[in-house]
C-alpha cells in the first residue's frame, strides 16, 4: 500500500508542473510587472544625440505627460516598432523622448535619418547605466511618465498600433486631465 502512494508522488508533481505551465502560457510576455510603475522615474542627465553639448533630464518635462522609448540602431524589433512610433509622434499628443541604449551615436543618427525621427529629443545612454536604473530587459521598451514624473506604465517590446490605441492613448488621456 505504501509503495502505491509513493508511485503517486511523481504523478502529483507532474500535475502541479502542468498547472504552472498552463498559467505561464496564458500570460502575455510583454506584461512583466515592473517595480518602477507608480514610482518616480529615475533621474539622469545625459547628452543629447543631436547636440551632445546639451543634456536632457526627465525633470525637464515635469508637468507634462510624456513617453520615454528605449531603442537602438542595432535592435531588429526597434525597426518593426519605428513606423508606429513615427505615426504616433506625428499626432503631437505628448513629447516622445528616445533613450538611445548602448548604441554608436553615428549609427543612431544614420538610422534616424534613414527611417525618420519620431523623437523630440534623444538622450544617449552609451553605457546602459540609465537602462539599468529603469529596469530595461531589452530594447525596445516604452515608459509613460505622468506630470509628476512618476512612471505610469511600462511596455516591453515593440509598440504596435493596437498597443497604442488600447493601452497608451487611454492612459495618456487619463493622465492628461
Amino acid at each position: 500500500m505504501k509503495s502505491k502512494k509513493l508511485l503517486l508522488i511523481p504523478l502529483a508533481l507532474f500535475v502541479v508542473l502542468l498547472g504552472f505551465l498552463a498559467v505561464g502560457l496564458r500570460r502575455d510576455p510583454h506584461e512583466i510587472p515592473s517595480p518602477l510603475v507608480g514610482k518616480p522615474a529615475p533621474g539622469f542627465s545625459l547628452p543629447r544625440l543631436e547636440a551632445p553639448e546639451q543634456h536632457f533630464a526627465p525633470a525637464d518635462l515635469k508637468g507634462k505627460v510624456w513617453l520615454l522609448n528605449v531603442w537602438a540602431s542595432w535592435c531588429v524589433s526597434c525597426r518593426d516598432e519605428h513606423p508606429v512610433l513615427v505615426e504616433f509622434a506625428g499626432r503631437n499628443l505628448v513629447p516622445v523622448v528616445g533613450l538611445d541604449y548602448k548604441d554608436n551615436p553615428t549609427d543612431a543618427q544614420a538610422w534616424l535619418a534613414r527611417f525618420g525621427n519620431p523623437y523630440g529629443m534623444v538622450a544617449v545612454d552609451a553605457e546602459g547605466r540609465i537602462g539599468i536604473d529603469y529596469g530595461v530587459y531589452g530594447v525596445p521598451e516604452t515608459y509613460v511618465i505622468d506630470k509628476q514624473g512618476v512612471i505610469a506604465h511600462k511596455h516591453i517590446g515593440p509598440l504596435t498600433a493596437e498597443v497604442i490605441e488600447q493601452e497608451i492613448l487611454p492612459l495618456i488621456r487619463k493622465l492628461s486631465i
Side-chain angles (χ1 to χ4, degrees), residues 1-69:
M1 186 68 149
K2 188 175 180 179
S3 65
K4 285 185 177 180
K5 287 182 179 178
L6 286 175
L7 289 175
L8 291 176
I9 291 174
L11 179 63
L13 291 174
F14 181 71
V15 169
V16 170
L17 182 64
L18 281 178
F20 283 122
L21 185 61
V23 170
L25 289 175
R26 291 184 180 177
R27 292 186 167 201
D28 183 348
H30 297 117
E31 292 183 13
I32 298 171
S34 171
L36 293 178
V37 172
K39 296 190 175 161
F44 61 83
S45 178
L46 290 174
R48 295 172 59 167
L49 180 66
E50 61 280 6
E53 69 282 358
Q54 298 176 6
H55 282 72
F56 168 75
D60 296 344
L61 292 175
K62 200 149 190 172
K64 296 181 179 180
V65 177
W66 58 287
L67 255 59
L68 178 66
N69 177 255

Side-chain angles (χ1 to χ4, degrees), residues 46-52 54 71 100 104-106 108-110 112 117 121-124:
L46 290 174
R48 295 172 59 167
L49 180 66
E50 61 280 6
Q54 298 176 6
W71 69 283
D100 187 27
N104 178 318
T106 303
Q109 288 172 332
L112 292 174
N117 186 350
M121 66 188 80
V122 176
V124 178

Side-chain angles (χ1 to χ4, degrees), residues 80-81 83-85 87-88 91 155 158-170:
D80 294 337
E81 173 188 69
V84 174
L85 206 53
E87 191 279 325
F88 174 76
R91 298 184 194 182
H155 178 79
L159 291 173
T160 62
E162 292 79 25
V163 169
I164 294 284
E165 294 300 324
Q166 296 172 5
E167 292 178 28
I168 304 296
L169 285 177

